Amino acid sequence: MKITLIKKLKIQVEKLKKCRKCPQMHPPSVSGKAVLSKVLLVGQAPGDKEPKLGRPFAWTAGKTLFNWFNRASGMNEEQFRSSIYMAAVCRCFPGKQAKGGDRLPSPEEVRSCSVWLKKEIDILKPDLVIPVGKLAISQFIPLQKLNQIIGKKFKTSKAGQSFELIPLPHPSGASPWHRIEPGKSLLKKALKLIVNHPAFQRLEKNGI
Ligand code: SF4
């Protein structure tokens, strides 16, 4: 019997939650809901609160991110989580670095965890991908200054799938980029591009 896409995605999410491949990472791994969506959001890595709360963007950065979307489209956090698939470059909390702040995942950890993202792209075949923050953006296009890429739309591909990419800055309080000009206006432009994208518009037409 042919396995349905949603079943495939649910199996994928369950497997991901059990992954313990990286010895330096702090389990458990964190995944969003198994939502069959044509819009895929890719964050960097969970912080220390997300594994306890069991969902991505569950703390202050998430509050900012969901506020951005609420202001741009009227979509609230629950609607967002139920209609957009939320992935990340790494799905486990990397731990703190000695000088403060979260440790940046190593290239090897990024490589190991990319297997999950590729499988998700293969199942979802997204029309729109929203990478959040430099690490996520660099998984799809060469990393440039945020001023040069935020507020723009790119055509790209990964895992054999072509899609449009609209990058966002990271909403964490660590960087003031999105709160001062030109970041403020470029962020507004990027959100406008996202909410006017046909894939996002279809979410709204489906009652989200
Ligand atoms: S970071 Fe990714 S590959 Fe590494 S243990 Fe967590 S889920 Fe597995």
Side-chain angles (χ1 to χ4, degrees):
M1 202 172 66
K2 215 173 153 196
I3 181 165
T4 60
L5 277 184
I6 185 66
K7 193 148 185 215
K8 236 181 175 177
L9 190 63
K10 280 183 179 164
I11 292 171
Q12 185 65 19
V13 168
E14 285 317 306
K15 276 193 196 161
L16 162 57
K17 284 182 179 168
K18 290 181 194 134
C19 182
R20 301 291 184 267
K21 218 187 310 176
C22 307
Q24 304 301 318
M25 287 288 190
H26 295 246
S29 41
V30 179
S31 173
K33 291 183 187 175
V35 187
L36 262 190
S37 178
K38 290 290 177 190
V39 183
L40 170 65
L41 181 119
V42 183
Q44 179 166 294
D48 58 344
K49 306 284 190 306
E50 279 77 6
K52 290 171 202 141
L53 297 165
R55 56 186 195 278
F57 283 105
W59 207 242
T60 44
K63 219 170 245 171
T64 304
L65 179 78
F66 296 122
N67 263 336
W68 289 349
F69 278 92
N70 192 243
R71 281 207 307 268
S73 71
M75 185 184 269
N76 65 30
E77 178 178 341
E78 203 32 58
Q79 289 167 328
F80 191 100
R81 291 188 186 279
S82 309
S83 60
I84 292 172
Y85 190 89
M86 298 180 75
V89 177
C90 284
R91 315 302 170 97
C92 294
F93 170 49
K96 296 279 179 197
Q97 47 182 3
K99 53 181 185 189
D102 294 353
R103 177 178 70 85
L104 203 66
S106 69
E108 200 188 330
E109 289 164 339
V110 169
R111 221 174 4 257
S112 295
C113 216
S114 68
V115 173
W116 296 112
L117 184 59
K118 284 182 190 148
K119 283 185 185 158
E120 288 156 340
I121 290 176
D122 182 50
I123 295 171
L124 296 168
K125 302 189 177 13
D127 293 325
L128 172 62
V129 174
I130 308 165
V132 181
K134 285 183 180 171
L135 184 67
I137 297 167
S138 68
Q139 307 308 305
F140 298 94
I141 53 172
L143 193 58
Q144 302 164 43
K145 287 206 158 89
L146 287 179
N147 290 6
Q148 292 166 315
I149 47 176
I150 303 298
K152 290 187 185 152
K153 186 160 64 178
F154 302 84
K155 266 199 186 306
T156 188
S157 63
K158 200 176 184 71
Q161 303 299 324
S162 299
F163 44 80
E164 289 192 302
L165 189 88
I166 304 177
L168 286 179
H170 202 279
S172 85
S175 163
W177 185 89
H178 57 85
R179 290 193 299 267
I180 49 176
E181 294 297 355
K184 222 168 145 181
S185 300
L186 291 174
L187 168 64
K188 222 171 159 185
K189 201 170 163 195
L191 288 166
K192 201 170 171 190
L193 282 176
I194 292 172
V195 303
N196 287 327
H197 191 281
F200 198 94
Q201 291 277 313
R202 280 196 296 276
L203 300 177
E204 297 198 315
K205 263 195 206 121
N206 291 339
I208 304 295

